Amino acid sequence: MTKQTVFSGIQPTGDVHIGNYLGALRNWVALQDEYDTIYCVVDLHATTVPYDPKELHDSRILTAKLLMAVGVDPSRSLLYFQSQVPQHAELSWILGSMTPLGALNRMTQYKEKAEKVGQMLGLYSYPVLMAADILVHKAHAVPVGDDQTQHLELTRDLADRFNNRFGETFPIPEQITPKRGARIMSLQDPTAKMSKSDGDPRGSVLLLDSADTIVKKFKTAVTDSEREVRYDREKKAGISNLLDIFSIYTGRSVEDLVDEYVDAGYGPFKEAVAEVVVGGLAPIRNAFNSLDDEDVSRIMARGALDARTRAEQEMADVRRRVGLGA
Ligand code: AMP
Ligand code: TRP
C-alpha cells in the first residue's frame, strides 16, 4: 500500500523554542517512519508581518538547520522553502475565490496580529495560503500545535468546497496534535502560549539556549503563591506547564512526578525540570553545530526541485479541473 502523505510548515521568524518542538516538531520526526513526509519552511508566511530582509534571509537557513538538527532527515522527508515552489501561491489564489470573508474574520490569530501590525491583505489571507500548502500536496495529515486548529478547519472546509464544485480532488486532512504538549505556555505568563513574538525573552526556552540560560529561565518561571506541586491547569497554570514539560522529557506520568515532587518545594522542582530539558536539548545543539550552512543550502535547493515536480503534477490536475488546463 502506498504511504499516506503528511505535510507541515514552520515560519522562519525568530528562534525555534521548546513549544514548537514539543507541540509539533517531535511529531514531524516521529511520523517519518510511517508516512510520506513533506516539511516546509514557510517563508512567504513570514512576510505577512513587518520584517527585515537580511534577518529573514538568515532565519530561513537557521530554521532549516534546526529542523535537521531535531531529526528531520532529508533522506526520508522532502524539505524545502515555500517561496521556491510557486505552486503554493498559485493554489492559494484559486482557493481565495472560494473563501468566504466570514471565515477569515473569525480567525483569532488574524485578530491578534492585525491589532499589532494593522489590517493587511497578506495577513488576512494567511490561512488561505496555509490551506494551499497542505492541499497542493494532497496531504492526509498535518502535525501542528493546537493554535493551528482554526486554520486546519478552514483547510478542511476549502478542500470540501473544492471537491464539491470540481470533483473529488483533495483528501480532507486530519490534524495530528500530541496528547501532552500541544500548547506549551510562556514561562513568564503561563496564561499565554510560548511564542516566538513574546516580548519577554525569558518566556521561551530556545532550542539553542545554553545550559546556564535554560536553568535561569526555569528558575525565574512564574508560578503561584502556594507550595504544593500539583496539576491544575486553571489554578496552577505555571506549575502545570512545568509538569507537562517534565513529563514529556522524562516519559514519566504527571501523577508519578506529582507523587515525587508534591512537597519538594518549587525551587528544587524547577531545578529538576531544567535539568531534564538541558539534557534533552544537548543532542539537538550538538547536531546543529555539526551541520554546515552550505550543505544545508544544497539540501534545500534539491528539496525545492523535487517539491516543484510533485506540486506541479498536482497543480496540472487542479488547473484542468477548474478550466485553466493546457
Ligand atoms: P510557528 O512558529 O508559528 O511557525 O509554529 C510552528 C509549529 O509550532 C506549529 O505547528 C505550531 O502549532 C507549533 N507551536 C507554536 N507555539 C507552540 C506552543 N507554545 N506550544 C505548542 N506548539 C506550538
Ligand atoms: N500557520 C502555521 C504556524 O504559524 C505555519 C504553517 C504555514 C503551516 N503553512 C502550514 C503549518 C501548513 C502546517 C501546514 O505555525
Side-chain angles (χ1 to χ4, degrees):
M1 220 181 73
T2 52
K3 288 181 179 175
Q4 292 214 318
T5 301
V6 156
F7 178 90
S8 196
I10 183 167
Q11 297 193 63
T13 36
D15 301 299
V16 180
H17 51 69
I18 59 169
N20 299 129
Y21 180 67
L22 301 178
L25 302 183
R26 69 190 164 117
N27 268 339
W28 292 24
V29 174
L31 292 165
Q32 294 179 118
D33 293 332
E34 271 181 56
Y35 290 84
D36 170 24
T37 40
I38 307 179
Y39 299 127
C40 190
V41 176
V42 290
D43 47 6
L44 291 176
H45 277 104
T47 66
T48 59
V49 293
Y51 69 96
D52 176 77
K54 166 91 174 65
E55 258 173 45
L56 175 61
H57 194 264
D58 293 348
S59 245
R60 291 157 87 224
I61 201 78
L62 174 72
T63 305
K65 228 171 138 179
L66 273 168
L67 291 177
M68 292 181 205
V70 302
V72 172
D73 173 2
S75 69
R76 289 190 293 160
S77 290
L78 184 51
L79 180 62
Y80 65 99
F81 294 121
Q82 179 191 37
S83 63
Q84 297 182 344
V85 180
Q87 288 81 359
H88 287 246
E90 184 186 357
L91 181 57
S92 176
W93 183 262
I94 290 173
L95 295 177
S97 300
M98 314 177 62
T99 309
L101 296 194
L104 298 180
N105 290 334
R106 282 195 296 276
M107 293 294 169
T108 52
Q109 194 165 303
Y110 172 70
K111 289 186 220 165
E112 283 165 20
K113 289 193 184 174
E115 223 165 79
K116 289 187 201 149
V117 307
Q119 303 189 352
M120 293 288 162
L121 180 59
L123 193 57
Y124 194 51
S125 59
Y126 174 116
V128 184
L129 179 58
M130 173 162 164
D133 297 339
I134 296 164
L135 299 180
V136 82
H137 289 295
K138 298 196 173 152
H140 301 91
V142 184
V144 282
D146 82 354
D147 60 344
Q148 297 303 312
T149 300
Q150 239 186 346
H151 292 160
L152 252 292
E153 277 163 9
L154 176 71
T155 304
R156 279 196 290 272
D157 179 56
L158 290 176
D160 193 47
R161 279 171 191 264
F162 189 101
N163 290 347
N164 282 330
R165 177 139 176 233
F166 301 111
E168 265 327 293
T169 309
F170 301 120
I172 307 296
E174 296 293 329
Q175 176 169 351
I176 299 183
T177 304
K179 280 204 187 70
R180 207 174 279 287
R183 178 177 289 259
I184 298 293
M185 309 311 275
S186 160
L187 297 188
Q188 285 302 309
D189 176 5
T191 64
K193 70 171 183 190
M194 188 177 284
S195 156
K196 287 173 178 166
S197 53
D198 192 340
D200 187 343
R202 295 173 310 165
S204 308
V205 175
L206 308 181
L207 297 189
L208 297 180
D209 273 345
S210 70
D212 277 357
T213 304
I214 296 171
V215 170
K216 270 193 209 120
K217 286 181 177 174
F218 278 105
K219 242 187 210 159
T220 53
V222 170
T223 50
D224 54 63
S225 54
E226 297 180 4
R227 311 195 47 183
E228 247 182 11
V229 172
R230 271 191 301 117
Y231 196 86
D232 182 337
R233 273 235 164 204
E234 275 181 11
K235 298 204 187 96
K236 298 173 75 70
I239 290 291
S240 304
N241 190 40
L242 296 180
L243 277 166
D244 280 334
I245 296 170
F246 204 174
S247 165
I248 300 170
Y249 272 105
T250 53
R252 291 172 62 185
S253 71
V254 164
E255 295 71 35
D256 189 25
L257 293 168
V258 167
D259 267 355
E260 181 175 344
Y261 288 93
V262 63
D263 293 322
Y266 286 179
F269 171 65
K270 287 173 169 179
E271 271 170 38
V273 180
E275 192 183 318
V276 297
V277 174
V278 168
L281 292 183
I284 295 177
R285 199 132 60 96
N286 292 341
F288 182 88
N289 288 334
S290 70
L291 285 164
D292 175 73
D293 280 14
E294 285 193 5
D295 289 344
V296 173
S297 291
R298 261 195 300 277
I299 290 168
M300 295 308 279
R302 172 85 235 170
L305 216 58
D306 291 347
R308 271 203 294 277
T309 307
R310 285 185 63 160
E312 179 51 27
Q313 270 173 15
E314 307 297 0
M315 272 315 290
D317 177 39
V318 168
R319 281 184 216 115
R320 190 177 48 74
R321 286 173 184 274
V322 301
L324 297 171

